[in-house]
Amino acid sequence: MPENCNPNDCPVAVRVDALEKEFDRCRGNSGDTHRQMFDRIGALEQNGAAVKTKLDSIEEKLDELTATVKALADKPAKRWESLVGCVLSALAGAFLLWVASGMPGL
């Protein structure tokens, strides 16, 4: 800048003023943009927490269903074991009666 530049008649003053106005406009827009971004991030965090709660609930229900399915799957095996036990007891009782009756048929 020349040393004899008059502040009222400086050729660069117009450009400086224009740059200041542009800077102020950008600063105002960036504040709004940042606010909107933070609002969106906050909404995403809330949605994430809601999704986590739902997933935890689903996981608990899945554990309950798994236990129920396992119990239902074990039920026929228990019945089969009970049936085999009854048949073996009946056979053992019949054998003991046969032996106690003097082994007829031999």
Side-chain angles (χ1 to χ4, degrees):
M1 216 188 308
E3 294 180 18
N4 59 359
C5 184
N6 181 2
N8 296 332
D9 189 30
C10 182
V12 181
V14 175
R15 291 180 66 192
V16 169
D17 289 341
L19 286 172
E20 285 178 346
K21 287 178 185 176
E22 181 67 19
F23 179 75
D24 289 341
R25 186 184 66 78
C26 288
R27 189 182 331 173
N29 289 344
S30 68
D32 292 340
T33 302
H34 289 148
R35 188 172 1 322
Q36 290 172 357
M37 287 178 13
F38 287 130
D39 290 345
R40 291 180 69 188
I41 289 171
L44 287 172
E45 287 174 343
Q46 289 176 350
N47 288 340
V51 168
K52 184 182 180 325
T53 302
K54 287 180 182 179
L55 287 176
D56 289 344
S57 174
I58 289 171
E59 187 176 286
E60 289 175 13
K61 290 178 183 178
L62 186 60
D63 289 343
E64 291 174 10
L65 285 173
T66 302
T68 302
V69 167
K70 184 168 174 49
L72 289 174
D74 289 343
K75 201 172 206 177
K78 288 180 183 175
R79 285 187 180 161
W80 179 252
E81 288 174 0
S82 175
L83 178 66
V84 169
C86 289
V87 169
L88 288 176
S89 295
L91 287 175
F95 178 75
L96 288 175
L97 283 174
W98 179 70
V99 170
S101 66
M103 293 186 257
L106 281 181

XYZ file of all heavy atoms in Angstrom:
800
model
N 0.836 -1.170 0.000
C 0.000 0.000 0.000
C 0.884 1.238 0.000
O 1.848 1.289 0.750
C -0.857 -0.012 1.263
C -2.211 0.524 0.994
S -3.327 0.807 2.337
C -3.455 -0.587 3.294
N 0.531 2.163 -0.802
C 1.350 3.388 -0.799
C 1.217 4.118 0.528
O 0.194 4.066 1.179
C 0.772 4.224 -1.939
C -0.314 3.440 -2.558
C -0.503 2.198 -1.790
N 2.284 4.799 0.891
C 2.290 5.504 2.172
C 1.359 6.700 2.174
O 0.912 7.141 3.223
C 3.707 5.960 2.504
C 4.631 4.807 2.756
C 6.014 5.300 3.089
O 6.185 6.465 3.453
O 6.932 4.495 2.981
N 1.051 7.210 1.049
C 0.199 8.396 0.994
C -1.263 8.012 0.741
O -2.030 8.792 0.231
C 0.702 9.364 -0.070
C 0.722 8.719 -1.445
O 0.376 7.568 -1.595
N 1.156 9.499 -2.431
N -1.655 6.798 1.107
C -3.026 6.322 0.899
C -3.961 7.029 1.868
O -3.757 7.017 3.077
C -3.086 4.816 1.096
S -4.721 4.148 0.756
N -4.972 7.648 1.333
C -5.965 8.353 2.132
C -7.060 7.341 2.500
O -7.622 6.685 1.639
C -6.527 9.518 1.300
C -7.549 10.324 2.072
O -7.822 10.054 3.233
N -8.108 11.323 1.414
N -7.399 7.220 3.808
C -8.438 6.253 4.196
C -9.770 6.518 3.512
O -10.552 5.601 3.294
C -8.566 6.436 5.699
C -7.339 7.121 6.137
C -6.812 7.874 4.963
N -10.065 7.735 3.149
C -11.325 8.051 2.479
C -11.276 7.748 0.990
O -12.317 7.589 0.356
C -11.682 9.521 2.677
C -11.928 9.840 4.130
O -12.335 8.972 4.890
N -11.664 11.062 4.534
N -10.075 7.666 0.421
C -9.938 7.490 -1.014
C -8.935 6.370 -1.322
O -8.166 6.472 -2.256
C -9.481 8.812 -1.645
C -9.539 8.748 -3.155
O -10.407 8.018 -3.669
O -8.709 9.397 -3.806
N -8.976 5.272 -0.544
C -8.037 4.163 -0.722
C -8.606 3.208 -1.777
O -9.757 2.797 -1.700
C -7.841 3.419 0.596
S -6.660 2.061 0.476
N -7.815 2.821 -2.783
C -8.310 1.924 -3.829
C -8.557 0.491 -3.321
O -9.353 -0.241 -3.888
C -7.198 1.931 -4.883
C -5.989 2.437 -4.214
C -6.447 3.258 -3.043
N -7.946 0.107 -2.236
C -8.101 -1.240 -1.693
C -9.285 -1.312 -0.720
O -9.814 -2.385 -0.446
C -6.794 -1.664 -0.990
C -6.882 -3.055 -0.438
C -5.608 -1.551 -1.936
N -9.740 -0.178 -0.210
C -10.812 -0.154 0.790
C -12.080 -0.817 0.290
O -12.769 -1.519 1.034
C -11.094 1.280 1.219
N -12.411 -0.635 -0.974
C -13.621 -1.240 -1.544
C -13.507 -2.758 -1.520
O -14.448 -3.465 -1.146
C -13.843 -0.707 -2.979
C -15.011 -1.411 -3.635
C -14.060 0.790 -2.960
N -12.348 -3.267 -1.892
C -12.152 -4.714 -1.889
C -12.163 -5.271 -0.474
O -12.711 -6.342 -0.221
C -10.825 -5.044 -2.573
C -10.884 -4.766 -4.067
C -9.589 -5.091 -4.752
N -9.320 -6.529 -4.705
C -8.149 -7.063 -5.030
N -7.147 -6.273 -5.409
N -7.965 -8.350 -4.972
N -11.560 -4.530 0.470
C -11.551 -4.977 1.865
C -12.968 -5.014 2.403
O -13.372 -5.981 3.076
C -10.650 -4.066 2.727
C -10.840 -4.344 4.207
C -9.195 -4.214 2.325
N -13.756 -3.996 2.117
C -15.148 -3.974 2.569
C -15.928 -5.151 1.979
O -16.725 -5.805 2.671
C -15.819 -2.651 2.185
C -15.309 -1.469 3.002
O -14.723 -1.724 4.075
O -15.497 -0.317 2.558
N -15.718 -5.422 0.709
C -16.411 -6.549 0.062
C -16.009 -7.873 0.699
O -16.858 -8.742 0.946
C -16.115 -6.549 -1.430
N -14.724 -8.016 0.986
C -14.258 -9.246 1.637
C -14.824 -9.385 3.051
O -15.173 -10.487 3.478
C -12.727 -9.277 1.675
C -12.042 -9.561 0.338
C -10.534 -9.372 0.476
C -12.369 -10.954 -0.137
N -14.922 -8.281 3.787
C -15.495 -8.320 5.133
C -16.960 -8.747 5.084
O -17.418 -9.561 5.890
C -15.370 -6.954 5.818
C -13.983 -6.637 6.298
C -13.883 -5.243 6.922
O -14.816 -4.427 6.747
O -12.861 -4.989 7.579
N -17.704 -8.204 4.124
C -19.117 -8.570 3.984
C -19.254 -10.051 3.623
O -20.098 -10.763 4.175
C -19.788 -7.701 2.921
C -20.013 -6.284 3.358
C -20.638 -5.453 2.245
C -20.748 -3.996 2.661
N -21.263 -3.158 1.583
N -18.417 -10.512 2.713
C -18.455 -11.932 2.313
C -18.095 -12.836 3.494
O -18.726 -13.878 3.722
C -17.486 -12.169 1.151
C -17.450 -13.581 0.638
C -18.737 -14.001 -0.041
O -19.544 -13.145 -0.455
O -18.948 -15.233 -0.154
N -17.094 -12.433 4.274
C -16.695 -13.201 5.449
C -17.827 -13.275 6.472
O -18.103 -14.338 7.029
C -15.434 -12.582 6.079
C -14.965 -13.303 7.303
C -14.318 -14.526 7.197
C -15.175 -12.754 8.566
C -13.890 -15.190 8.330
C -14.749 -13.415 9.697
C -14.099 -14.639 9.575
N -18.479 -12.128 6.728
C -19.596 -12.104 7.676
C -20.745 -13.002 7.193
O -21.371 -13.715 7.983
C -20.100 -10.675 7.882
C -19.115 -9.818 8.677
O -18.248 -10.405 9.370
O -19.203 -8.570 8.605
N -21.020 -12.967 5.885
C -22.076 -13.805 5.324
C -21.727 -15.290 5.498
O -22.558 -16.094 5.926
C -22.285 -13.482 3.851
C -23.476 -14.221 3.228
C -23.588 -13.932 1.734
N -22.457 -14.459 0.977
C -22.295 -15.742 0.631
N -23.186 -16.630 1.000
N -21.249 -16.116 -0.070
N -20.500 -15.653 5.220
C -20.063 -17.046 5.361
C -20.099 -17.494 6.826
O -20.483 -18.625 7.128
C -18.658 -17.227 4.797
S -18.590 -17.157 3.007
N -19.685 -16.595 7.713
C -19.703 -16.927 9.134
C -21.134 -17.176 9.608
O -21.408 -18.117 10.352
C -19.063 -15.823 9.962
C -18.882 -16.242 11.402
C -18.301 -15.192 12.305
N -17.425 -14.266 11.626
C -16.915 -13.186 12.185
N -17.198 -12.907 13.435
N -16.132 -12.370 11.528
N -22.073 -16.350 9.174
C -23.479 -16.535 9.555
C -24.034 -17.842 9.013
O -24.738 -18.575 9.707
N -23.723 -18.160 7.757
C -24.199 -19.408 7.163
C -23.585 -20.625 7.833
O -24.237 -21.642 8.019
C -23.900 -19.437 5.663
C -24.773 -18.471 4.892
O -25.790 -18.001 5.399
N -24.374 -18.155 3.665
N -22.302 -20.536 8.192
C -21.654 -21.692 8.805
C -22.227 -21.960 10.190
O -22.341 -23.113 10.593
C -20.138 -21.495 8.876
O -19.795 -20.466 9.786
N -22.615 -20.919 10.909
C -23.245 -21.121 12.219
C -24.551 -21.887 12.079
O -24.828 -22.825 12.836
N -25.345 -21.513 11.085
C -26.600 -22.224 10.834
C -26.339 -23.666 10.406
O -27.000 -24.598 10.856
C -27.420 -21.505 9.757
C -27.948 -20.160 10.225
O -28.026 -19.948 11.460
O -28.269 -19.317 9.360
N -25.352 -23.833 9.552
C -25.009 -25.176 9.071
C -24.542 -26.052 10.225
O -24.954 -27.203 10.347
C -23.912 -25.092 7.997
O -24.372 -24.265 6.934
C -23.562 -26.460 7.462
N -23.691 -25.491 11.079
C -23.212 -26.265 12.235
C -24.358 -26.622 13.167
O -24.420 -27.744 13.680
C -22.136 -25.485 12.993
C -20.854 -25.382 12.262
N -20.025 -24.301 12.383
C -20.247 -26.224 11.388
C -18.959 -24.480 11.623
N -19.071 -25.642 11.011
N -25.265 -25.707 13.389
C -26.407 -25.965 14.265
C -27.260 -27.106 13.693
O -27.665 -28.010 14.404
C -27.241 -24.697 14.445
C -28.323 -24.825 15.479
C -29.085 -23.579 15.857
N -28.992 -22.243 15.385
C -27.995 -21.432 15.013
N -26.854 -21.811 14.974
N -28.081 -20.212 14.638
N -27.487 -27.049 12.376
C -28.267 -28.107 11.729
C -27.553 -29.457 11.823
O -28.182 -30.484 12.080
C -28.514 -27.757 10.260
C -29.472 -26.605 10.059
C -29.532 -26.168 8.597
O -28.824 -26.693 7.748
N -30.381 -25.188 8.321
N -26.244 -29.450 11.640
C -25.489 -30.706 11.735
C -25.559 -31.275 13.150
O -25.759 -32.476 13.333
C -24.035 -30.476 11.317
C -23.885 -30.293 9.822
S -22.228 -29.958 9.172
C -21.098 -30.283 10.432
N -25.409 -30.424 14.155
C -25.481 -30.904 15.530
C -26.879 -31.411 15.867
O -27.034 -32.403 16.589
C -25.047 -29.816 16.511
C -23.569 -29.562 16.509
C -23.076 -28.269 16.384
C -22.660 -30.602 16.628
C -21.718 -28.026 16.384
C -21.293 -30.364 16.618
C -20.816 -29.070 16.498
N -27.907 -30.759 15.332
C -29.277 -31.239 15.543
C -29.462 -32.621 14.922
O -30.064 -33.513 15.524
C -30.294 -30.261 14.949
C -30.386 -28.950 15.732
O -29.890 -28.913 16.880
O -30.938 -27.974 15.181
N -28.928 -32.794 13.721
C -29.050 -34.093 13.053
C -28.266 -35.170 13.795
O -28.725 -36.311 13.925
C -28.573 -33.988 11.610
C -29.516 -33.151 10.750
C -29.055 -33.046 9.336
N -29.170 -34.346 8.688
C -28.706 -34.610 7.480
N -28.097 -33.663 6.789
N -28.841 -35.806 6.952
N -27.096 -34.827 14.294
C -26.293 -35.791 15.059
C -27.040 -36.179 16.328
O -27.087 -37.354 16.706
C -24.896 -35.226 15.373
C -24.065 -35.170 14.095
C -24.188 -36.059 16.436
C -22.751 -34.433 14.248
N -27.647 -35.196 16.994
C -28.426 -35.492 18.191
C -29.591 -36.414 17.882
O -29.874 -37.356 18.637
N -30.277 -36.170 16.768
C -31.400 -37.027 16.376
C -30.914 -38.449 16.077
O -31.562 -39.430 16.456
C -32.108 -36.440 15.162
N -29.760 -38.562 15.423
C -29.207 -39.887 15.140
C -28.842 -40.628 16.420
O -29.060 -41.839 16.537
C -27.981 -39.764 14.237
C -28.247 -39.409 12.782
C -26.942 -39.128 12.052
C -29.002 -40.520 12.092
N -28.304 -39.910 17.392
C -27.965 -40.547 18.674
C -29.223 -41.049 19.368
O -29.233 -42.145 19.935
C -27.215 -39.560 19.568
C -25.793 -39.305 19.118
C -25.105 -38.217 19.937
O -25.800 -37.438 20.629
O -23.864 -38.145 19.874
N -30.292 -40.257 19.341
C -31.551 -40.687 19.957
C -32.113 -41.905 19.236
O -32.581 -42.851 19.875
C -32.562 -39.544 19.946
C -32.230 -38.423 20.907
C -33.202 -37.266 20.793
O -34.013 -37.196 19.894
N -33.099 -36.331 21.736
N -32.072 -41.881 17.903
C -32.557 -43.032 17.144
C -31.717 -44.268 17.431
O -32.248 -45.368 17.537
C -32.559 -42.733 15.643
C -33.646 -41.759 15.251
O -34.617 -41.580 15.970
N -33.482 -41.123 14.109
N -30.408 -44.081 17.563
C -29.527 -45.199 17.887
C -29.860 -45.801 19.239
O -29.849 -47.025 19.406
N -30.164 -44.957 20.212
C -30.535 -45.456 21.532
C -31.855 -46.231 21.462
O -32.006 -47.281 22.105
C -30.649 -44.294 22.521
N -32.802 -45.734 20.679
C -34.082 -46.426 20.534
C -33.888 -47.779 19.856
O -34.476 -48.787 20.272
C -35.063 -45.571 19.738
N -33.039 -47.824 18.838
C -32.768 -49.083 18.143
C -32.087 -50.066 19.082
O -32.405 -51.260 19.091
C -31.914 -48.825 16.878
C -31.362 -50.112 16.304
C -32.729 -48.101 15.829
N -31.157 -49.580 19.900
C -30.468 -50.456 20.853
C -31.461 -51.048 21.844
O -31.393 -52.238 22.166
C -29.376 -49.691 21.594
C -28.565 -50.580 22.519
C -27.517 -49.789 23.271
C -26.679 -50.618 24.191
N -27.281 -51.719 24.868
N -32.402 -50.239 22.324
C -33.418 -50.733 23.248
C -34.254 -51.825 22.590
O -34.522 -52.867 23.195
C -34.330 -49.574 23.705
O -33.511 -48.568 24.316
C -35.360 -50.045 24.683
N -34.655 -51.599 21.347
C -35.449 -52.604 20.639
C -34.646 -53.882 20.423
O -35.173 -54.995 20.579
C -35.923 -52.057 19.297
C -37.019 -51.025 19.431
C -37.469 -50.505 18.079
C -38.529 -49.437 18.245
N -38.963 -48.889 16.954
N -33.379 -53.756 20.062
C -32.547 -54.937 19.858
C -32.356 -55.723 21.153
O -32.356 -56.956 21.142
C -31.195 -54.543 19.270
C -31.206 -54.126 17.802
C -29.817 -53.657 17.369
C -31.674 -55.248 16.911
N -32.190 -55.012 22.264
C -32.075 -55.697 23.554
C -33.352 -56.469 23.863
O -33.307 -57.605 24.350
C -31.773 -54.688 24.670
C -30.363 -54.130 24.582
O -29.522 -54.729 23.872
O -30.106 -53.076 25.212
N -34.501 -55.859 23.586
C -35.782 -56.527 23.809
C -35.908 -57.756 22.920
O -36.346 -58.823 23.369
C -36.925 -55.545 23.526
O -38.161 -56.202 23.596
N -35.517 -57.628 21.668
C -35.582 -58.762 20.745
C -34.661 -59.882 21.218
O -35.008 -61.062 21.160
C -35.215 -58.304 19.317
C -36.339 -57.436 18.745
C -34.942 -59.490 18.410
C -35.992 -56.753 17.439
N -33.496 -59.503 21.708
C -32.543 -60.508 22.196
C -33.111 -61.275 23.388
O -32.982 -62.497 23.473
C -31.238 -59.818 22.578
C -30.119 -60.779 22.927
C -28.827 -60.046 23.196
O -28.218 -59.574 22.228
O -28.440 -59.946 24.372
N -33.771 -60.565 24.302
C -34.385 -61.232 25.455
C -35.481 -62.199 25.004
O -35.558 -63.329 25.487
C -34.976 -60.192 26.407
C -33.948 -59.380 27.159
C -34.578 -58.274 27.991
O -35.813 -58.285 28.171
O -33.831 -57.400 28.458
N -36.313 -61.760 24.077
C -37.379 -62.629 23.576
C -36.800 -63.836 22.850
O -37.325 -64.949 22.958
C -38.311 -61.843 22.656
C -39.159 -60.834 23.396
C -40.036 -60.046 22.465
C -40.819 -58.992 23.250
N -41.647 -58.174 22.375
N -35.727 -63.630 22.120
C -35.082 -64.731 21.418
C -34.531 -65.755 22.408
O -34.641 -66.964 22.175
C -33.979 -64.196 20.521
C -33.285 -65.205 19.607
C -34.289 -65.853 18.667
C -32.194 -64.524 18.819
N -33.963 -65.282 23.508
C -33.474 -66.196 24.549
C -34.623 -67.010 25.128
O -34.496 -68.222 25.348
C -32.754 -65.418 25.654
C -31.411 -64.856 25.203
O -30.883 -65.322 24.172
O -30.906 -63.935 25.877
N -35.764 -66.351 25.374
C -36.932 -67.054 25.895
C -37.429 -68.099 24.894
O -37.760 -69.232 25.273
C -38.057 -66.063 26.198
C -37.783 -65.139 27.369
C -38.860 -64.076 27.538
O -39.915 -64.167 26.880
O -38.630 -63.136 28.320
N -37.489 -67.722 23.613
C -37.937 -68.663 22.588
C -36.982 -69.849 22.464
O -37.418 -70.989 22.281
C -38.070 -67.955 21.244
C -39.274 -67.038 21.085
C -39.182 -66.276 19.773
C -40.556 -67.827 21.144
N -35.705 -69.595 22.576
C -34.715 -70.671 22.510
C -34.920 -71.651 23.652
O -34.879 -72.874 23.448
C -33.290 -70.088 22.547
O -33.134 -69.181 21.466
C -32.242 -71.169 22.461
N -35.159 -71.136 24.846
C -35.402 -72.008 25.998
C -36.681 -72.817 25.797
O -36.723 -74.015 26.112
C -35.488 -71.171 27.269
N -37.714 -72.183 25.263
C -38.975 -72.882 25.039
C -38.799 -73.983 23.996
O -39.294 -75.108 24.178
C -40.065 -71.893 24.571
O -40.205 -70.869 25.555
C -41.384 -72.573 24.350
N -38.112 -73.692 22.908
C -37.882 -74.694 21.867
C -37.071 -75.858 22.415
O -37.353 -77.022 22.122
C -37.185 -74.052 20.642
C -36.662 -75.098 19.686
C -38.146 -73.114 19.934
N -36.079 -75.564 23.225
C -35.263 -76.623 23.822
C -36.119 -77.503 24.726
O -36.009 -78.727 24.686
C -34.104 -76.023 24.601
C -33.163 -77.070 25.180
C -31.903 -76.431 25.681
C -30.991 -77.392 26.394
N -30.715 -78.624 25.716
N -36.990 -76.881 25.531
C -37.867 -77.667 26.407
C -38.812 -78.540 25.585
O -39.053 -79.707 25.929
C -38.657 -76.734 27.316
N -39.358 -77.987 24.505
C -40.253 -78.769 23.654
C -39.509 -79.900 22.941
O -40.059 -80.987 22.739
C -40.930 -77.866 22.619
C -41.981 -76.902 23.181
C -42.457 -75.955 22.078
C -43.152 -77.662 23.777
N -38.277 -79.655 22.571
C -37.487 -80.692 21.917
C -37.122 -81.800 22.897
O -37.026 -82.975 22.512
C -36.224 -80.091 21.309
N -36.934 -81.475 24.162
C -36.582 -82.471 25.170
C -37.790 -83.296 25.605
O -37.632 -84.399 26.107
C -35.960 -81.791 26.394
C -34.565 -81.242 26.112
O -33.972 -81.664 25.098
O -34.085 -80.406 26.894
N -38.989 -82.787 25.418
C -40.193 -83.456 25.888
C -40.389 -84.837 25.259
O -40.635 -85.807 25.971
C -41.410 -82.564 25.642
C -42.595 -82.879 26.482
C -43.662 -81.823 26.290
C -44.529 -81.749 27.515
N -45.519 -80.707 27.412
N -40.290 -85.004 23.943
C -40.442 -86.353 23.377
C -39.364 -87.317 23.873
O -39.641 -88.499 24.089
C -40.316 -86.137 21.868
C -40.655 -84.714 21.652
C -40.215 -84.006 22.891
N -38.161 -86.839 24.060
C -37.094 -87.702 24.563
C -37.425 -88.187 25.968
O -37.205 -89.360 26.296
C -35.766 -86.959 24.549
N -37.986 -87.317 26.788
C -38.372 -87.720 28.150
C -39.497 -88.748 28.090
O -39.510 -89.713 28.859
C -38.804 -86.500 28.961
C -37.651 -85.590 29.336
C -38.135 -84.392 30.131
C -36.986 -83.443 30.434
N -37.444 -82.229 31.098
N -40.445 -88.541 27.182
C -41.545 -89.505 27.048
C -41.011 -90.852 26.581
O -41.445 -91.902 27.048
C -42.592 -88.970 26.073
C -43.427 -87.877 26.657
C -44.546 -87.493 25.735
N -45.341 -86.427 26.339
C -46.149 -85.648 25.666
N -46.296 -85.806 24.365
N -46.839 -84.708 26.283
N -40.099 -90.840 25.631
C -39.520 -92.083 25.136
C -38.790 -92.813 26.258
O -38.917 -94.036 26.405
C -38.570 -91.776 23.979
C -37.913 -92.995 23.424
C -36.622 -93.347 23.562
C -38.527 -94.030 22.663
N -36.366 -94.535 22.925
C -37.536 -94.973 22.367
C -39.820 -94.261 22.214
C -37.792 -96.131 21.640
C -40.071 -95.409 21.472
C -39.066 -96.323 21.191
N -37.997 -92.071 27.046
C -37.291 -92.673 28.172
C -38.276 -93.271 29.173
O -38.057 -94.359 29.708
C -36.398 -91.644 28.865
C -35.176 -91.254 28.057
C -34.379 -90.120 28.705
O -34.779 -89.640 29.792
O -33.370 -89.705 28.114
N -39.371 -92.563 29.415
C -40.389 -93.052 30.339
C -41.028 -94.331 29.798
O -41.245 -95.299 30.539
C -41.449 -91.977 30.557
O -42.492 -92.463 31.354
N -41.330 -94.333 28.506
C -41.941 -95.518 27.887
C -40.998 -96.711 27.953
O -41.404 -97.830 28.311
C -42.304 -95.219 26.435
C -42.902 -96.370 25.640
C -44.261 -96.747 26.220
C -43.031 -96.002 24.183
N -39.736 -96.518 27.641
C -38.748 -97.595 27.707
C -38.624 -98.102 29.137
O -38.552 -99.315 29.383
C -37.385 -97.121 27.150
C -36.277 -98.127 27.448
C -37.486 -96.874 25.656
N -38.628 -97.191 30.101
C -38.551 -97.589 31.511
C -39.751 -98.435 31.918
O -39.591 -99.452 32.612
N -40.929 -98.052 31.474
C -42.137 -98.822 31.803
C -42.089 -100.210 31.164
O -42.444 -101.219 31.798
C -43.381 -98.080 31.341
S -43.746 -96.613 32.311
N -41.670 -100.302 29.912
C -41.587 -101.600 29.224
C -40.565 -102.499 29.910
O -40.819 -103.683 30.138
C -41.241 -101.387 27.729
C -40.886 -102.698 27.053
C -42.397 -100.722 27.011
N -39.403 -101.934 30.260
C -38.390 -102.734 30.961
C -38.880 -103.200 32.326
O -38.644 -104.347 32.725
C -37.084 -101.940 31.101
C -36.283 -101.735 29.813
C -35.070 -100.853 30.080
C -35.862 -103.058 29.208
N -39.595 -102.336 33.011
C -40.149 -102.725 34.317
C -41.172 -103.840 34.146
O -41.205 -104.802 34.939
C -40.802 -101.527 34.998
O -39.851 -100.557 35.298
N -42.014 -103.735 33.129
C -43.020 -104.774 32.887
C -42.352 -106.100 32.535
O -42.761 -107.171 33.017
C -43.963 -104.332 31.774
N -41.326 -106.048 31.698
C -40.607 -107.272 31.337
C -39.912 -107.880 32.547
O -39.934 -109.113 32.745
C -39.600 -106.989 30.223
C -40.176 -106.765 28.837
C -39.072 -106.381 27.863
C -40.909 -107.996 28.340
N -39.280 -107.039 33.366
C -38.610 -107.544 34.569
C -39.637 -108.144 35.517
O -39.415 -109.223 36.109
C -37.830 -106.421 35.244
N -40.785 -107.495 35.672
C -41.844 -108.026 36.548
C -42.392 -109.343 36.018
O -42.620 -110.303 36.788
N -42.581 -109.462 34.717
C -43.081 -110.701 34.126
C -42.063 -111.827 34.313
O -42.428 -112.973 34.619
C -43.374 -110.483 32.643
N -40.785 -111.485 34.127
C -39.750 -112.491 34.332
C -39.735 -112.971 35.771
O -39.628 -114.180 36.041
C -38.382 -111.924 33.918
C -37.250 -112.875 34.129
C -37.076 -113.964 33.264
C -36.365 -112.717 35.187
C -36.033 -114.853 33.461
C -35.324 -113.601 35.382
C -35.149 -114.675 34.519
N -39.816 -112.032 36.716
C -39.824 -112.413 38.135
C -41.051 -113.262 38.473
O -40.960 -114.236 39.227
C -39.764 -111.169 39.025
C -38.417 -110.442 39.054
C -38.537 -109.162 39.877
C -37.325 -111.322 39.623
N -42.213 -112.925 37.905
C -43.409 -113.745 38.130
C -43.242 -115.144 37.524
O -43.657 -116.143 38.107
C -44.635 -113.069 37.526
C -45.218 -111.907 38.327
C -46.350 -111.245 37.538
C -45.742 -112.372 39.669
N -42.625 -115.228 36.393
C -42.397 -116.517 35.735
C -41.468 -117.384 36.590
O -41.702 -118.575 36.783
C -41.809 -116.274 34.359
C -41.511 -117.503 33.583
C -42.393 -118.372 33.030
C -40.225 -118.000 33.279
N -41.757 -119.385 32.377
C -40.389 -119.171 32.525
C -38.924 -117.581 33.571
C -39.330 -119.950 32.064
C -37.877 -118.344 33.082
C -38.073 -119.506 32.342
N -40.375 -116.704 37.108
C -39.446 -117.439 37.961
C -40.131 -117.826 39.261
O -39.995 -118.953 39.756
C -38.173 -116.597 38.240
C -37.300 -117.232 39.321
C -37.370 -116.414 36.961
N -40.938 -116.947 39.826
C -41.607 -117.219 41.106
C -42.667 -118.302 40.948
O -42.951 -119.035 41.900
C -42.231 -115.937 41.643
N -43.229 -118.426 39.774
C -44.256 -119.438 39.581
C -43.668 -120.794 39.219
O -44.382 -121.740 38.893
C -45.244 -118.992 38.503
O -44.606 -118.925 37.267
N -42.378 -120.917 39.290
C -41.709 -122.194 39.078
C -41.310 -122.431 37.629
O -41.111 -123.572 37.241
N -41.241 -121.425 36.866
C -40.824 -121.460 35.473
C -41.640 -122.441 34.646
O -41.136 -123.420 34.107
C -39.331 -121.801 35.373
C -38.436 -120.716 35.924
S -36.731 -121.082 35.632
C -36.231 -121.642 37.238
N -42.975 -122.212 34.576
C -43.804 -123.137 33.782
C -43.446 -123.037 32.296
O -43.036 -122.000 31.824
C -45.228 -122.647 34.036
C -45.096 -121.266 34.536
C -43.740 -121.146 35.147
N -43.579 -124.101 31.589
C -43.272 -124.131 30.177
C -41.898 -124.635 29.874
O -41.551 -124.853 28.735
N -41.119 -124.907 30.909
C -39.794 -125.462 30.670
C -39.758 -126.920 30.945
O -40.170 -127.603 31.679
C -38.736 -124.779 31.548
C -38.242 -123.422 31.090
C -37.188 -122.914 32.052
C -37.706 -123.461 29.695
